[in-house]
Amino acid sequence: MKKMLCAAMAAVLCLSLLSACGGKQKEEKNVDLAAFAQTLTENHEFAAFVQRVDPTDEEFGGIMLDNSYPGLKELDPEQMEIYLSMVSFSTGEFALVRAKSAEDAAKVKGIFQARIDGMTEEGMNYPETVELWTNSSRLVDHGTYVMLVCHEDADAIVNEFNALFS
C-alpha cells in the first residue's frame, strides 16, 4: 500500500512539474511602432532625405518599398514603419515591423538581412554608403517585432528598441 501511495504521489509530482513547464506562454507587449518611429526622428538626427514611406501610395511609396524590401508588403504586417533615403545614396534608414506570426517575423528578418547584404555589397557604388551599412546597420527582434536600423547611433537606437520590451 505504501509503495502504491508513493508511486501515485511521484506521478502527481511529475505531472505537476511538466504542466508548470509548458502551457504558459509569455504574452507579447503591444508596442506602437509609429510612436517609436516619431521618437527616433526626434532623438536622432536623420538626414532630411530620410522620409517615411507610405506603402499604400502605389505611385511612389509602394514602389520604393518593393525596391528596397521586396516581399514585405505581401506579408501584410500588423504594423509597419519604413523610413528610407529619398536620394540615390543612402544616408541611413530604419524599418520597424510587427508581423502577424513568428513565421512571418522570420521572413521579415530575411528581407531585412537581404537589404543589409545588398547595401554592404553594392551600396549604390558610394563608398560612404557601403561603410555606413557595414559598420552601422543592426537587425534585432523581439517576438513578432523586427527592426532594421542603419544610422551612426545604431547601438543607442537598438537599446531604445530593446527598452520597449522590458
Side-chain angles (χ1 to χ4, degrees):
M1 178 76 164
K2 286 184 182 180
K3 286 184 181 182
M4 188 119 136
L5 182 61
C6 286
M9 290 176 70
V12 168
L13 180 61
C14 287
L15 288 174
S16 67
L17 287 174
L18 288 174
S19 68
C21 291
K24 284 190 178 183
Q25 292 186 348
K26 186 178 175 184
E27 191 171 316
E28 190 170 61
K29 280 190 168 186
N30 189 18
V31 173
D32 182 353
L33 294 180
F36 182 63
Q38 184 65 37
T39 300
L40 287 183
T41 60
E42 291 169 0
N43 293 346
H44 301 277
E45 188 174 330
F46 283 88
F49 315 119
V50 177
Q51 299 290 320
R52 182 180 183 276
V53 173
D54 180 1
T56 63
D57 173 11
E58 289 301 324
E59 289 183 27
F60 184 71
I63 293 169
M64 289 287 293
L65 186 60
D66 287 339
N67 288 341
S68 300
Y69 298 101
L72 187 59
K73 272 192 339 187
E74 287 75 25
L75 293 175
D76 190 30
E78 294 283 335
Q79 295 181 65
M80 179 169 51
E81 293 293 321
I82 309 292
Y83 284 70
L84 292 171
S85 179
M86 299 297 156
V87 294
S88 62
F89 60 91
S90 177
T91 56
E93 68 186 59
F94 65 90
L96 306 163
V97 169
R98 181 179 186 187
K100 289 185 176 177
S101 67
E103 294 80 21
D104 282 357
K107 291 175 185 175
V108 170
K109 285 176 66 175
I111 291 168
F112 285 1
Q113 186 60 56
R115 175 71 172 162
I116 293 170
D117 294 344
M119 295 304 287
T120 56
E121 293 165 7
E122 300 162 16
M124 307 282 291
N125 296 320
Y126 293 103
E128 296 86 3
T129 298
V130 173
E131 183 178 342
L132 179 67
W133 278 88
T134 300
N135 298 320
S136 301
S137 63
R138 306 288 185 272
L139 175 57
V140 293
D141 67 290
H142 285 275
T144 58
Y145 291 89
V146 185
M147 177 181 76
L148 176 146
V149 62
C150 178
H151 191 275
E152 292 171 348
D153 295 338
D155 292 328
I157 292 170
V158 166
N159 289 338
E160 292 170 30
F161 181 72
N162 289 338
L164 296 172
F165 302 94
S166 57

